[in-house]
Amino acid sequence: MRKHLKYVIASIIVAATAQSAVAAFFFDASPNTSEATTVTEDAEPETVHLSDVEVVAARQEKSTTAEYTLDATTFRVAGVTDISDAIHRLPGVNLRDYGGSGGMKTVSVRGLGTQHTGVTYDGVALGDAQSGQIDLSRFSLDCLSSLSIRMGDGDDLLQSARTLSLASTLSIATIDEADLTSRRPELAVKLRVASFGTWNPSLRFGIANGSNFKFSLNGEYLHARNNYPFTIYNGKETTREKRNNSQTNTGHVEMNSLWKISDDHSLQAKTYWYDSSRDLPGPVKYYNNKSNQHLHDKDLMAQLRYDGRFASNVFFRALAKYDWTDLRYTDIDGIYPNGSLDNRYIQQEEYISAALKYTPITDLALSYCVDYWHNAMSNNLRANNHPQRNSLLQSISVKYRIWRLTATAHGLLSYISDLPQAGEKHIDRWKVSPSIGFNLQPIADEQWYIRTSYKSGMRMPTFNELYFDHYGSINLEPEIARQLNLGMTWSRHIASWLPSLELSADGYLNRVKNKIVAMPYNMFVMTMKNLGEVRILGADVTLSADFRPAEGHDLILTGNYSYQRAASRTDRTMADWMKQLPYIPLNSGGWSLTWQNPWVNVVAHGTGCSARYAETVNLPSSRIPGYMEIGFSLYREIRIKQSSLTLRADLINALDKQYEIVARYPMPGRSWAVSIEYRL
């Protein structure tokens, strides 16, 4: 039956989407309401009307764990240029960026590695069993309604068991339920032109029937030559070179539908297609800048989410997803037999999840969730590995409120079964992972919250890490991570000239047993090794303030700072004892200052970090210098009756700072971008 599961899931998603469209438009399955209501796990009967306030900082959620959110308003007002820039504005996050538009971008949180950071797309977890890394460059900032990062489990009792298994979660949201009651079509057309031959048109179209159904279609195409200049320092000699073999062509199309069956039931469906063809410039080598590497990847995904309330105190959520990816990596070089390398990997994932929440009394909630997914990979390698993995996760969660204290507890049972290839013995692993969190409001009339949490979890090695080429290792052990966090959030309305001031701070201690470290060989292949035990001691601080010196003028200041001391604690006699883990800076942060005015809005912003090392033993030859990149933005929105025209200009890396995030992969220097967007 398992081999037919993908067809069952795909059929359910297609049928549900078609049925929702027919029912919503022709039969109007639910009565018209003057206000759209959304099924949530903590539905409140009271409606609160707030005055108009633009929140543009990395907003700290009032949760038992550290959680920060950026919304679409923040992207515009804070001068965010792309998704990698948005991630730099989140505290505790390290981004690996291989440079240029469309260059591969992966994220790591609090020194735990990219595989410990999950990514959800409109509430459904994304997966990559091959590498465990989600390339964030495939997501367009123009299509997002919000971007948030959560360290730990959070307070949502209807979240999937799969997200509970992750140390941290990056949540990407595209569906906006606010326009269900509108019958006006939504249309947004945008063209962005930038340095180094970058053309980036995008289109968004949406329509709602005015009561209970909304459909949207998003599309984007990106072309960039990426032939940006960079500087090589070789002793006393300095040369100016240009990146070559770095052209990229990527595009994606997605369809979203939201059907509000009734006030208590809703259905969301998404179909997503992504196609990318990228030349890989390879690492910079002295006097040898030649590269003939190419990466072509395709991704087809369909997912379904159902939220329902069957009684005043019983909530249910179901998720289903089918994901197919085709990745082909080629390299022309004389070191290979026949002069070329041509590797192809095809992955398939079928995923289902169900969660039930019950609130027997007002202040107590209980939930149970079960997730199952199957991963399979085929390839054309000589080793002929065709691994499969079955994952079954179950969780029990409790949330209790007393006085001004909220307490949550989660228990997760994980069963992972690997079948490397036909005829080989199963590799079965079991793990029980608990977590607990508290959030206290000490003073009733003060927006001051203190939180603390503890979480334990297991991260299985990926297929690449275990099986493929001489870069994998079948002897790798799963990582066991333990996280301890203590933090606070304080916010206040000071006066009319300072309507918003918010400060948050978190300190944390992470311990990882059998830490797996990825050492980049090139943009596609990593070398893997267990480090034994790693301790990560860190702190995250965020600040946001809104100053109003005069009517019609706002000065919005945001900032974030992170300290991460991540070091091996395996053996005092080893060379890497107490040395900083590769690619994790000791200090990092970002800031932005926005002046909103009646004429042209102005933004200054910067992100940077201290020096890092590309090797575990921190040799001077592997040191990557720190940097601070500063940019400026100008934008103006012009209202034209019921439509708008937005003009924007960006100066990126204005000081032409030459730096690297990944060793020997130089980032672009000074560049520009202009865009025009029309919205109906």
Side-chain angles (χ1 to χ4, degrees), residues 106 151 173 177 203-204 233 284 302 304 314 379 402 412 523:
T106 60
M151 294 76 166
E177 301 181 6
L203 170 70
R204 178 184 176 90
Y233 301 97
V284 171
L304 188 68
V314 178
N379 61 84
I402 181 172
L412 178 70
M523 283 182 65

Side-chain angles (χ1 to χ4, degrees), residues 326-394:
D326 181 356
L327 187 149
R328 185 177 183 182
Y329 170 73
T330 60
D331 187 9
I332 301 174
D333 198 307
I335 65 174
Y336 304 115
N338 301 320
S340 65
L341 178 71
D342 189 349
N343 290 349
R344 188 176 183 186
Y345 306 85
I346 296 178
Q347 291 189 76
Q348 297 183 75
E349 178 178 295
E350 304 90 34
Y351 169 60
I352 53 176
S353 172
L356 181 67
K357 176 192 167 190
Y358 173 57
T359 55
I361 58 176
T362 302
D363 296 320
L364 176 65
L366 311 170
S367 74
Y368 168 75
C369 183
V370 58
D371 284 29
Y372 167 77
W373 68 97
H374 171 249
N375 296 104
M377 173 177 283
S378 60
N379 61 84
N380 64 346
L381 304 184
R382 288 178 298 175
N384 198 31
N385 282 320
H386 299 283
Q388 297 185 55
R389 174 172 292 171
N390 293 286
S391 304
L392 179 64
L393 276 63
Q394 300 178 76

Side-chain angles (χ1 to χ4, degrees), residues 144-211:
L144 306 189
S145 61
S146 67
L147 183 73
S148 63
I149 189 75
R150 186 184 70 236
M151 294 76 166
D153 291 337
D155 297 353
D156 182 5
L157 296 196
L158 283 176
Q159 64 182 302
S160 66
R162 188 172 186 175
T163 58
L164 287 174
S165 70
L166 301 164
S168 57
T169 304
L170 181 70
S171 299
I172 301 172
T174 64
I175 298 177
D176 186 1
E177 301 181 6
D179 298 327
L180 273 176
T181 58
S182 173
R183 289 185 178 273
R184 293 184 65 249
E186 173 191 359
L187 177 65
V189 181
K190 182 176 180 180
L191 175 62
R192 180 175 180 266
V193 181
S195 299
F196 319 123
T198 300
W199 290 81
N200 183 200
S202 63
L203 170 70
R204 178 184 176 90
F205 173 76
I207 189 169
N209 70 346
S211 60

Side-chain angles (χ1 to χ4, degrees), residues 359-569:
T359 55
I361 58 176
T362 302
D363 296 320
L364 176 65
L366 311 170
S367 74
Y368 168 75
C369 183
V370 58
D371 284 29
Y372 167 77
W373 68 97
H374 171 249
N375 296 104
M377 173 177 283
S378 60
N379 61 84
N380 64 346
L381 304 184
R382 288 178 298 175
N384 198 31
N385 282 320
H386 299 283
Q388 297 185 55
R389 174 172 292 171
N390 293 286
S391 304
L392 179 64
L393 276 63
Q394 300 178 76
S395 67
I396 297 177
S397 303
V398 180
K399 182 178 181 179
Y400 184 60
R401 295 172 178 168
I402 181 172
W403 189 53
R404 292 187 296 275
L405 175 68
T406 300
T408 60
H410 306 273
L412 178 70
L413 175 62
S414 304
Y415 169 68
I416 312 295
S417 177
D418 276 8
L419 180 62
Q421 56 188 10
E424 292 193 8
K425 183 180 179 181
H426 283 79
I427 303 174
D428 297 333
R429 289 184 173 90
W430 296 83
K431 176 66 177 177
V432 176
S433 305
S435 69
I436 190 169
F438 299 93
N439 186 38
L440 174 66
Q441 185 182 14
I443 304 173
D445 296 330
E446 287 287 337
Q447 295 298 307
W448 177 36
Y449 299 87
I450 299 174
R451 57 184 170 272
T452 185
S453 61
Y454 168 80
K455 177 179 173 62
S456 175
M458 176 182 72
R459 200 276 286 183
M460 285 289 294
T462 65
F463 289 164
N464 271 0
E465 293 169 340
L466 287 171
Y467 306 121
F468 290 110
D469 297 331
H470 60 281
Y471 303 106
S473 172
I474 61 174
N475 299 316
L476 284 175
E477 294 292 329
E479 290 184 357
I480 306 298
R482 295 177 176 88
Q483 305 166 256
L484 181 64
N485 186 89
L486 176 63
M488 57 81 65
T489 299
W490 175 83
S491 62
R492 176 177 287 185
H493 171 86
I494 304 297
S496 59
W497 60 271
L498 185 57
S500 174
L501 178 64
E502 181 169 308
L503 174 69
S504 73
D506 284 271
Y508 58 89
L509 175 63
N510 299 334
R511 290 184 177 271
V512 184
K513 182 180 179 182
N514 299 325
K515 173 70 176 177
I516 301 172
V517 175
M519 312 298 295
Y521 177 78
N522 55 39
M523 283 182 65
F524 180 68
V525 180
M526 306 282 180
T527 60
M528 307 296 170
K529 60 184 294 188
N530 277 120
L531 280 186
E533 184 173 342
V534 168
R535 188 187 72 177
I536 306 163
L537 181 66
D540 298 329
V541 180
T542 68
L543 169 70
S544 65
D546 184 1
F547 301 92
R548 292 184 179 171
E551 184 69 24
H553 295 262
D554 283 86
L555 290 175
I556 303 168
L557 174 67
T558 69
N560 68 83
Y561 166 77
S562 295
Y563 170 85
Q564 297 182 64
R565 181 70 174 98
S568 172
R569 307 273 294 188

